[in-house]
Amino acid sequence: MTNRKQAIPNDSLSFDERPAKRTKVDDEREESTSSAEPSHVMADITGAARVSEDEDEEGLEDEVEPGQSKNEPRASDLYLDTINRALLDFDFEKVCSVSMSNINTYGCLVCGKYFQGRGRKSYAYAHSIHDDHHVFINLETTKVYVLPDGYLVSDPSLEDISFVLNPSFTKVSISTLSSPSHLLKPSYDLSSKPYLSGYIGLNNIKRNDHMNVIIHSLLHIPPLRDHLLLSSFRGKETELVKRFAALAKKIWNPRLFKSQVSPHEFLQEVNRASAGKFRLEQQGDPVEFLGWLLNRLHKDMGGTKKKNSSIIFSTFQGELRVETQQVVVRPDSTGSEKPQFDIDRDIKAAVSPFLFLAVDLPPPPLFQDTIEKNIIPQVSIHSVLAKYDGESAGQLRRYKCQRLPQYIILHYKRFTKNAFVEEKNPTIVTFPLRGVDFREYLDAAPTHPPTVYDLIANVTHESVAGTTRDKENTIWKVHLRAAGGGGEGEKWFQIQDLIVEETRKEMIFLGETVLQIWERRAANADGNASMKMVVDRR
């Protein structure tokens, strides 16, 4: 009995330390066996037993709820100094590194590896014992636990890790992303390297640079960007939408541990959703990826064929009138049938929606001498947009816009296929960065919104010289207008995978442009778009 009396006070001597679960079980067994002892023995140990029971209750409550006093010392806090933030990387797919399962996955905050579960038979539990790593975070709920004890940790010092794992934005925090003040607030990573949120590099895992430029271009469209940053998808949204929103939040996160982001998690879902059409290890066409992604996002966001049924349609969808004249085959006197085009024949007109406009480039000269081979042909943007003036005489089809969207996507058809190879048109398109008026390509009422547009994103293609397309040695770059732009101090960034650098405005049109996104200029107080010269001088 003397040993039993001494064992109980010893458990309650170090009140600051949390008792182990095995000790709790032993105490409960001793209390159950001591219930049959004489009353005078129970009276001697009553005080110590109450302290032990209170201590056990506090331990159980802390295991379930973190709601205890912040000033009270906890044994679990001793492991927080083992967290290595430099090894934490939440950009990759949340699957267990052992079982490859994505159910109930935890991340080790010491080594950065992912493991499944936290029970006694789980991989995270075994990792905590074998490698002596004790702090784990639930990758879905962002709750932090200490294993193998299983205690829930609530500490303000862990808030930065939770924010990197699951960033959150408010209307106030995103209100300045498109204003010049955003350029005056650089962020810093763990190595004190400055970066500008939103204008950071995307890792080229294998050959996904053609998808990286599209990701950057779309996530710098303010309506789509704000919609994704303010989203909290917890319902029946598809995995593609959830991962695209998560990638947007990481790119615009001002508190990153490293000034770059890997799109691995999103591109893995793209591979699954496209049935292997767009893969990490295979070079592709950014225009094809853009068309697929816009239509897939529209469908997954609940969009229908109706106008403005999703954020995709309300941002990019316009209407185009197509006029066609049929070619009639009439037998002549010899009995042979030859197609004949009658310009006076009835014209059939149809209006169809569009997400981007395809622009044809003039073919390069076939026969060149030694001097002409060194001359790169150039053409202005207005000459190639003449396709949509609706007045091209003698054409089987004529096009004219009926309604222009808030953001116009132009696709310059630079690549053509023949029976042998895929040819590349090296013609350079010259364009101003601001003040392109689409009024002459529009047939609409005077109440139509302003038709003056400014460039916001420009995707260029670089490869070996010549007229044959070389996919293996292709480099894709994107030029992004920084924070609204405007005036002499307008800044542009050129992003190629992990390389982010500021570029001169005069150098943007020198590349082989494949894709452009134009933003409608806001109307002034008079209801008209502000004039180009006024904006450029501002």
Side-chain angles (χ1 to χ4, degrees):
M1 295 301 298
T2 303
N3 295 336
R4 188 172 294 133
K5 290 182 180 180
Q6 293 176 353
I8 297 176
N10 287 341
D11 289 342
S12 60
L13 284 177
S14 69
F15 185 78
D16 295 340
E17 296 181 359
R18 193 183 307 278
K21 289 187 175 181
R22 186 174 299 174
T23 306
K24 297 178 187 178
V25 176
D26 295 339
D27 291 344
E28 292 174 359
R29 290 179 179 175
E30 288 183 1
E31 290 174 6
S32 62
T33 55
S34 62
S35 60
E37 296 294 330
S39 58
H40 67 278
V41 177
M42 293 297 297
D44 293 338
I45 65 174
T46 300
R50 288 176 180 174
V51 174
S52 179
E53 290 175 0
D54 295 338
E55 191 172 328
D56 287 346
E57 290 178 359
E58 291 177 359
L60 292 175
E61 289 176 358
D62 185 59
E63 184 176 341
V64 179
E65 299 179 0
Q68 64 177 9
S69 176
K70 295 182 179 179
N71 298 325
E72 181 181 347
R74 294 165 294 184
S76 59
D77 296 348
L78 299 177
Y79 297 114
L80 297 185
D81 59 348
T82 63
I83 297 176
N84 190 350
R85 287 170 170 79
L87 297 180
L88 301 183
D89 190 352
F90 301 119
D91 294 342
F92 292 91
E93 200 167 10
K94 309 298 190 297
V95 295
C96 175
S97 58
V98 181
S99 65
M100 302 304 294
S101 173
N102 61 352
I103 301 175
N104 197 22
T105 310
Y106 288 78
C108 176
L109 297 184
V110 182
C111 65
K113 296 181 180 179
Y114 296 163
F115 298 95
Q116 185 179 14
R118 60 184 177 92
R120 288 184 176 272
K121 296 182 180 180
S122 65
Y123 297 109
Y125 188 92
H127 178 73
S128 66
I129 296 177
H130 296 161
D131 293 78
D132 200 24
H133 296 172
H134 299 284
V135 191
F136 293 80
I137 185 171
N138 188 302
L139 298 179
E140 184 176 356
T141 64
T142 69
K143 292 183 178 180
V144 179
Y145 296 87
V146 169
L147 298 181
D149 298 331
Y151 297 124
L152 180 66
V153 180
S154 178
D155 193 280
S157 64
L158 303 175
E159 193 271 336
D160 61 333
I161 300 178
S162 300
F163 194 86
V164 171
L165 175 59
N166 186 18
S168 59
F169 294 83
T170 62
K171 292 184 178 180
V172 177
S173 62
I174 68 174
S175 60
T176 60
L177 295 182
S178 296
S179 64
S181 61
H182 180 66
L183 302 176
L184 306 177
K185 299 183 296 184
S187 302
Y188 297 88
D189 58 9
L190 289 179
S191 59
S192 299
K193 178 182 177 181
Y195 71 94
L196 192 63
S197 61
Y199 304 89
I200 60 177
L202 288 179
N203 188 19
N204 187 359
I205 303 171
K206 287 190 177 179
R207 293 179 179 176
N208 57 282
D209 54 339
H210 65 288
M211 293 187 279
N212 287 350
V213 294
I214 297 301
I215 292 173
H216 265 306
S217 300
L218 290 182
L219 294 185
H220 283 79
I221 306 301
L224 180 59
R225 177 200 64 197
D226 296 346
H227 176 79
L228 295 174
L229 293 183
L230 295 176
S231 63
S232 57
F233 297 125
R234 301 294 182 186
K236 299 180 180 180
E237 291 81 7
T238 62
E239 192 67 21
L240 183 71
V241 176
K242 293 179 181 179
R243 295 193 180 187
F244 192 51
L247 180 59
K249 294 178 181 180
K250 291 177 182 178
I251 290 178
W252 288 96
N253 188 355
R255 298 164 58 183
L256 290 173
F257 288 162
K258 53 183 180 179
S259 57
Q260 63 191 46
V261 171
S262 175
H264 178 269
E265 192 174 12
F266 170 67
L267 295 183
Q268 283 289 90
E269 184 60 28
V270 167
N271 187 12
R272 284 192 288 265
S274 64
K277 183 178 180 180
F278 303 103
R279 294 152 46 183
L280 295 172
E281 65 276 6
Q282 184 177 353
Q283 186 65 262
D285 190 346
V287 179
E288 293 182 5
F289 176 65
L290 174 63
W292 176 86
L293 183 59
L294 289 180
N295 285 280
R296 188 58 184 259
L297 289 176
H298 167 73
K299 178 182 176 182
D300 291 351
M301 290 179 176
T304 62
K305 294 183 179 181
K306 296 182 179 180
K307 185 171 61 176
N308 299 331
S309 58
S310 72
I311 185 66
I312 301 297
F313 273 18
S314 61
T315 305
F316 300 107
Q317 190 187 52
E319 292 180 353
L320 183 70
R321 187 182 74 241
V322 182
E323 297 178 350
T324 59
Q325 284 182 294
Q326 294 182 348
V327 176
V328 182
V329 178
R330 297 175 181 174
D332 55 11
S333 58
T334 60
S336 61
E337 296 183 354
K338 295 182 180 180
Q340 296 181 356
F341 177 66
D342 186 2
I343 196 173
D344 296 327
R345 189 172 177 82
D346 294 339
I347 300 176
K348 294 183 179 180
V351 177
S352 61
F354 69 88
L355 289 178
F356 51 83
L357 297 175
V359 180
D360 300 320
L361 296 179
L366 293 178
F367 304 101
Q368 299 174 334
D369 55 24
T370 56
I371 298 178
E372 290 177 339
K373 284 185 178 180
N374 298 325
I375 300 176
I376 301 177
Q378 297 186 14
V379 63
S380 67
I381 187 174
H382 290 286
S383 62
V384 295
L385 284 177
K387 171 183 177 180
Y388 297 98
D389 59 5
E391 299 176 357
S392 300
Q395 299 293 329
L396 297 180
R397 287 187 177 182
R398 292 186 287 271
Y399 306 92
K400 195 151 190 178
C401 297
Q402 295 288 102
R403 180 175 61 87
L404 294 177
Q406 185 178 2
Y407 292 84
I408 299 178
I409 303 177
L410 295 182
H411 165 219
Y412 296 93
K413 301 175 68 174
R414 194 169 292 277
F415 307 107
T416 56
K417 294 182 180 180
N418 56 30
F420 304 100
V421 294
E422 187 173 4
E423 296 181 346
K424 180 190 70 172
N425 191 331
T427 302
I428 299 298
V429 180
T430 59
F431 51 86
L433 299 181
R434 302 179 64 83
V436 174
D437 194 349
F438 286 78
R439 170 63 65 180
E440 57 180 309
Y441 317 114
L442 177 69
D443 184 12
T447 57
H448 190 279
T451 58
V452 178
Y453 285 76
D454 302 324
L455 186 65
I456 191 173
N458 181 62
V459 177
T460 62
H461 163 272
E462 289 185 8
S463 62
V464 295
T467 58
T468 303
R469 183 178 185 182
D470 185 5
K471 286 188 176 181
E472 299 300 325
N473 299 314
T474 296
I475 297 175
W476 296 98
K477 298 181 180 180
V478 59
H479 299 99
L480 299 174
R481 191 185 70 200
E488 295 297 332
E490 181 180 73
K491 289 187 177 182
W492 283 81
F493 288 95
Q494 176 180 278
I495 302 180
Q496 176 195 343
D497 299 331
L498 296 179
I499 303 175
V500 181
E501 55 188 2
E502 187 176 348
T503 184
R504 295 174 59 90
K505 296 186 293 184
E506 298 81 3
M507 305 293 292
I508 294 178
F509 76 92
L510 296 180
E512 297 179 0
T513 299
V514 176
L515 204 68
Q516 288 181 337
I517 302 181
W518 295 82
E519 179 185 33
R520 175 185 289 145
R521 184 177 297 181
N524 56 15
D526 297 333
N528 299 319
S530 52
M531 298 304 295
K532 174 180 180 297
M533 295 302 295
V534 175
V535 173
D536 289 343
R537 290 176 180 175
R538 199 165 46 184

